[in-house]
Every structure is written in structure tokens, then in C-alpha cells.
Amino acid sequence: MRIGSYSFDEYVHLVKSFHGSLAPGLVIGGFIVDTALKNLPKGEFFDAICETAVCLPDAVQLLTPCTIGNGWMKIFDTGRFAVTLYEKESGEGVRVYLDAQKLKPWPEFNAWYFKLKPKREQDFEKLMTQIKEAGASVLSLQRVRVRPEYIVKRRLGPTAVCPSCGEAYPLRDGSACLACQGRSPYVIEGP
């Protein structure tokens, strides 16, 4: 059993070192990304869309060249555990998702996914065994085309110095940086 170019055990080790712990969502995410990769046309340049911000983006970053930093991965948090890999120009691609109907034969996996038991009552070893045994059998695939407005790459464009804070920012944001326009996540407490 392989996930991308890794054996299952190698992938689990990679997950632990990248994510900080063995996250079940990142393990099933590996199967999701691997399934999408196997169903893309060979040699195509592709981007990714994750439909959740939880665990799945890490699987994309571990198994593909798509990252948030290089702009090849976008997160559209619909709350669904799904990834789409699509050709950069045409938007044609594959969407792979964890299929709730296919989880029924895997009671611990199903209970974890639907949060039917508190974490302390879950049997983690049994959960991981069921994820490994279920593998791609609990996934479904759809052929999709990404809407053109989501394919367009956002460019930074010219940079300016904000007259309020003195930091550089993309001029497309207006006459001051977004933070100085009130969109900062911080309360500044000192110099």
C-alpha cells in the first residue's frame, strides 16, 4: 500500500514530523490526494482546492508541489472533506471526497469522522487500523471544471509605503495598507 511515493508507514512518519502528531484526518487526506493524483492527466501542471482548512491542506502540501505560499493551493472552506486537483489553464480536474455513505462498514472511523464519541473514548489504534484498511475504498471521485473566476491568479502588482505605519504593502489595497484600514488581527501594545 502506497500513498504517493511513500509506503503507508513512511507516510505516517512524515505526517508526524510535519503536522506534529499523527492526525487521522491527515492520514485519510493522504489517500484523498493520492487518488486525485492517480486520476489527473500525466504531465499536466495543476493547482489544488481544499474544501476544509483542517488537516487536508497539509496532505496536499506533503504530496504535491501545491502550497498556500506558492499560490497553487486555495482553501475554500465549505466544511467538506474534499480536494480538487485541476489543470491550471482549463480548470479541468478531479474532486475526491470522503464519502459518508462508504464509512458505515468502519464503525470506529465513522464515529471519529462524525464525532459520535468524545476523543477520550475513541480507540485510536482501532481508528488508525480502520483508516489503513479502508484506504481509498471510502472515497468518491467526480470530474469537475473549476469556474474561470477561481482560476485567475491574483498578482501583487506595485508596492507602496503605507503613509500611516510606514510598512510596504500592495498598492491595489488602496491609499493605506489593510491593517491601517482596520483589518489587522492585532492590538498593538508597544513599539
Side-chain angles (χ1 to χ4, degrees):
M1 168 181 307
R2 301 200 67 77
I3 297 176
S5 62
Y6 304 99
S7 71
F8 182 82
D9 291 336
E10 289 169 336
Y11 181 72
V12 164
H13 178 72
L14 188 62
V15 164
K16 288 179 191 176
S17 63
F18 184 79
H19 193 73
S21 64
L22 182 54
L26 189 44
V27 176
I28 191 62
F31 287 109
I32 289 173
V33 173
D34 184 62
T35 300
L37 285 167
K38 287 176 179 170
N39 286 279
L40 275 179
K42 295 279 186 238
E44 297 293 332
F45 289 106
F46 60 92
D47 280 1
I49 294 175
C50 286
E51 294 186 37
T52 179
V54 180
C55 290
L56 209 42
D58 286 354
V60 171
Q61 293 182 119
L62 284 172
L63 297 171
T64 76
C66 303
T67 69
I68 293 170
N70 68 14
W72 296 359
M73 178 173 55
K74 297 170 187 70
I75 298 172
F76 291 101
D77 199 350
T78 64
R80 301 186 298 182
F81 212 71
V83 164
T84 298
L85 298 182
Y86 63 96
E87 200 278 321
K88 291 177 180 286
E89 300 298 323
S90 71
E92 304 238 354
V94 292
R95 178 178 181 268
V96 180
Y97 62 95
L98 183 56
D99 192 328
Q101 299 306 311
K102 295 180 179 180
L103 283 176
K104 292 176 183 172
W106 309 99
E108 198 67 26
F109 192 173
N110 188 65
W112 166 81
Y113 186 66
F114 286 104
K115 301 189 180 6
L116 302 176
K117 296 189 212 178
K119 191 172 185 172
R120 68 185 176 285
E121 293 177 21
Q122 295 172 8
D123 182 337
F124 188 77
E125 292 304 316
K126 189 173 185 179
L127 169 61
M128 293 308 297
T129 298
Q130 288 186 8
I131 289 173
K132 181 179 181 180
E133 290 174 358
S137 74
V138 293
L139 308 177
S140 288
L141 181 137
Q142 299 170 311
R143 299 279 171 200
V144 297
R145 178 176 291 135
V146 177
R147 292 183 178 162
E149 62 266 28
Y150 294 107
I151 295 174
V152 175
K153 294 252 184 244
R154 191 170 167 188
R155 306 276 184 229
L156 287 178
T159 302
V161 174
C162 177
S164 298
C165 68
E167 292 189 44
Y169 75 102
L171 194 53
R172 70 161 190 265
D173 292 342
S175 60
C177 73
L178 292 179
C180 290
Q181 291 180 44
R183 292 182 51 193
S184 173
Y186 310 111
V187 175
I188 305 297
E189 297 182 357

